[in-house]
Amino acid sequence: MIVYADVLFLLNLVVDYGLLLVTARIAGVPFVRLRLLGGAAFGALYAVAVFLPGLGVLSVLPVRIAAGMGMAWIAYGNTPRIGRLVLILASVSAALGGGVLALTDVGGATLYEGVATTGADFFAVVLIASALCVGFGVVFRRWGQKAGKQELAYIQVFVNQKSTVFRAMVDSGNLLSDHRDRSVIVADAQVIRRLLPKGAHLSPEKVCHPSAMFEALTALFGCGRVQLISYRSVGVCDGLMAALRPDRVTVNGRETEEVLLAVSPGPVSDTGAYEGLIGAETGGTI
């Protein structure tokens, strides 16, 4: 069987992306689609390298395990759940083996050293890839809904001569806005601390008290850039948060309309997977 590198890369890119997506759904962890695509591209490059002359050592079990861990790290980041995610990824990969073999009669797909291969032409590979994508979507759509779909957005905030980047969970329930109908991104205090002028700091006591935080931010950034935002949430009927008006905000690399950055009195994520909450209409998902 003749294997073409471009066809091999395409097939494994689709297969690995599906594996990483399904793993995130099963684990119920937030994910960024571009990171999943990066992990899938790494896996696809590894699959091509296995077939290169003199690189057969890449197919041994320890290297395959390391490649899987590399895929997971690229796709999900340095999360405390990385070990669990790797185990789930391995289990889903093993289960997928039967699905790939079931497509043998359709497009000549098979497994070699754990790598999906095919001797079919490009059109057949597209059919196989499409069948895999549809299968992933149908089988795991309900699971993903039960586990709670969590997607992340990359936020970059510019204030004066400083900027910072952080991840925010896209929360369809975050409808927070001010009296001028400007959307509000809720962020951990650590995000605000990275934007402070040199030598300035915010104590934990000020973070916990919105009025004290309002006064501190006003002293640092001037009048007119800070305001108090009222909000309601589970267990909070009439809360307040201090909010800063940045110079610019980009969401997933795209410039957004004027938004405010509110300081959460506590961490927005128990696991540290993200540092903010953003409404689905503010910037969408990746």
Side-chain angles (χ1 to χ4, degrees):
M1 180 178 68
I2 299 176
V3 177
Y4 297 96
D6 56 346
V7 175
L8 182 66
F9 179 85
L10 174 63
L11 179 61
N12 281 273
L13 180 69
V14 175
V15 170
D16 289 342
Y17 181 86
L19 290 174
L20 294 168
L21 177 61
V22 169
T23 298
R25 295 279 200 231
I26 293 176
V29 299
F31 59 88
V32 177
R33 292 187 181 275
L34 283 179
R35 291 196 67 118
L36 295 186
L37 185 60
F42 174 82
L45 289 172
Y46 164 77
V48 173
V50 168
F51 285 87
L52 295 179
L55 295 180
V57 67
L58 295 178
S59 63
V60 300
L61 183 59
V63 178
R64 286 165 57 188
I65 293 175
M69 294 178 66
M71 280 179 54
W73 183 82
I74 294 173
Y76 310 118
N78 189 24
T79 169
R81 303 183 187 181
I82 191 66
R84 177 168 173 260
L85 287 167
V86 170
L87 291 177
I88 295 176
L89 179 61
S91 301
V92 175
S93 299
L96 179 70
V100 174
L101 293 177
L103 294 172
T104 299
D105 294 336
V106 177
T110 186
L111 291 176
Y112 172 78
E113 299 292 349
V115 174
T117 63
T118 179
D121 59 18
F122 187 83
F123 180 72
V125 172
V126 172
L127 290 179
I128 295 173
S130 300
L132 290 171
C133 287
V134 172
F136 286 138
V138 171
V139 173
F140 291 95
R141 182 178 294 115
R142 290 186 178 179
W143 191 315
Q145 292 173 347
K146 292 180 180 179
K149 181 180 178 181
Q150 292 182 314
E151 296 195 45
L152 300 182
Y154 280 106
I155 315 296
Q156 186 168 16
V157 180
F158 301 83
V159 177
N160 295 335
Q161 302 300 317
K162 288 200 169 186
S163 69
T164 186
V165 177
F166 63 97
R167 294 188 295 183
M169 188 186 80
V170 179
D171 181 9
S172 59
N174 179 12
L175 304 176
L176 193 61
S177 62
D178 72 345
H179 64 283
R180 293 176 54 185
D181 203 29
R182 292 179 294 190
S183 299
V184 178
I185 300 174
V186 181
D188 284 345
Q190 290 297 335
V191 174
I192 299 296
R193 288 190 174 101
R194 296 198 292 268
L195 295 169
L196 296 179
K198 186 176 181 180
H201 70 280
L202 292 173
S203 65
E205 292 78 14
K206 291 181 180 179
V207 172
C208 296
H209 295 85
S211 58
M213 177 63 95
F214 172 80
E215 293 176 0
L217 293 180
T218 300
L220 292 170
F221 296 104
C223 297
R225 299 198 64 166
V226 186
Q227 65 186 76
L228 287 174
I229 301 290
S230 61
Y231 71 96
R232 294 179 181 179
S233 64
V234 178
V236 180
C237 295
D238 191 15
L240 289 173
M241 287 186 293
L244 174 67
R245 177 174 54 82
D247 296 324
R248 290 175 52 219
V249 176
T250 63
V251 179
N252 298 332
R254 297 188 296 270
E255 198 86 21
T256 67
E257 298 295 332
E258 188 177 13
V259 298
L260 300 177
L261 190 65
V263 187
S264 172
V268 297
S269 170
D270 295 333
T271 64
Y274 47 88
E275 295 182 288
L277 299 173
I278 183 173
E281 294 184 357
T282 304
T285 61
I286 295 178

